[in-house]
């Protein structure tokens, strides 16, 4: 009897965990090329295309100013990624504020003192190319524009995997 209760509990937990995994669905699989899309690097600035960054390792982060896990992750992005690789000509970083405009992004940068590119995605135009929900998200594109890494949420161990991947590619 006790074994059956324990087995049912484990089964229930595994189903709940499987559902949580489904919540992080990506629209683009690892190994696939990223769709070409345009975006502005600053309010009123000229538009660039992600294809302009072929030849570089590109890290794309999606966050929101109200998101607790995002706010825990971004200081690490600043300290352990941007400060280390910002001058590497083979690296680019774009941090998109999902559903937030330039005024909010600019105020956020002033408040936090982040120096990496924080970009507005007020209508989820960029975010929706990759997912429907859940942030933070990180996506790494190789030099050919193919997806080589994806993560959903902020987890210290997962972030270490991201750091390892960047180091492997950028410190050759």
């Amino acid at each position: 009897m006790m074994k059956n209760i324990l087995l049912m509990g484990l089964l229930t937990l595994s189903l709940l965990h499987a559902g949580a995994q489904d919540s992080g669905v990506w629209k683009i699989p690892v190994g696939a090329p990223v769709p070409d899309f345009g975006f502005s690097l600053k309010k009123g600035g000229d538009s660039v295309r992600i294809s302009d960054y072929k030849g570089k390792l590109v890290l794309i982060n999606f966050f929101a100013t109200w998101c607790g896990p995002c706010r825990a992750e971004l200081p690490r992005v600043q300290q352990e990624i941007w400060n280390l690789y910002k001058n590497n000509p083979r690296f680019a970083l774009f941090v998109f504020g999902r559903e937030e405009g330039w005024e909010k992004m600019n105020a956020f940068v002033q408040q936090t003192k982040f120096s990496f590119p924080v970009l507005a995605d007020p209508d989820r135009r960029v975010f929706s190319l990759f997912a429907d929900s859940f942030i933070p998200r990180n996506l790494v594109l190789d030099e050919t524009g193919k997806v080589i890494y994806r993560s959903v949420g902020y987890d210290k161990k997962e972030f270490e995997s991201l750091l390892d991947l960047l180091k492997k590619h950028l410190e050759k």
Side-chain angles (χ1 to χ4, degrees):
M1 177 76 170
M2 189 61 144
K3 283 184 181 180
N4 287 343
I5 292 172
L6 183 58
L7 186 58
M8 287 299 282
L10 288 173
L11 180 60
T12 301
L13 284 174
S14 68
L15 290 173
L16 288 173
H17 182 69
Q21 293 299 324
D22 290 343
S23 67
V25 171
W26 286 88
K27 293 181 177 180
I28 301 170
V30 170
V34 71
D36 196 19
F37 61 92
F39 56 97
S40 294
L41 297 174
K42 62 182 180 179
K43 183 179 181 178
D46 292 335
S47 184
V48 297
R49 303 208 60 79
I50 199 65
S51 58
D52 297 338
Y53 294 89
K54 281 194 176 171
K56 296 178 183 266
L57 191 72
V58 178
L59 170 58
I60 299 171
N61 173 280
F62 294 102
F63 87 106
T65 58
W66 50 263
C67 167
C70 301
R71 291 185 74 118
E73 180 180 63
L74 289 177
R76 292 193 71 188
V77 170
Q78 176 73 48
Q79 293 298 320
E80 298 172 62
I81 297 173
W82 184 246
N83 289 351
L84 190 60
Y85 299 118
K86 66 184 172 189
N87 295 321
N88 187 322
R90 296 182 5 246
F91 177 69
L93 169 65
F94 303 108
V95 178
F96 288 94
R98 189 188 78 178
E99 296 177 1
E100 299 187 305
W102 283 108
E103 289 76 20
K104 193 161 214 171
M105 292 297 89
N106 292 337
F108 179 73
V109 168
Q110 275 191 315
Q111 175 200 17
T112 60
K113 308 291 188 233
F114 291 141
S115 61
F116 51 77
V118 178
L119 313 173
D121 189 21
D123 57 3
R124 286 186 176 209
R125 189 180 51 77
V126 177
F127 181 80
S128 67
L129 295 171
F130 302 100
D132 291 321
S133 59
F134 298 99
I135 49 176
R137 286 183 182 260
N138 287 296
L139 180 77
V140 178
L141 311 178
D142 72 6
E143 295 81 359
T144 68
K146 289 184 181 171
V147 176
I148 60 169
Y149 175 89
R150 306 174 311 183
S151 68
V152 179
Y154 172 61
D155 174 79
K156 291 178 182 180
K157 187 174 180 183
E158 182 69 33
F159 196 83
E160 295 297 326
S161 297
L162 172 61
L163 294 176
D164 289 344
L165 177 100
L166 295 174
K167 183 177 182 176
K168 175 183 157 193
H169 280 268
L170 295 169
E171 295 181 6
K172 301 181 199 182

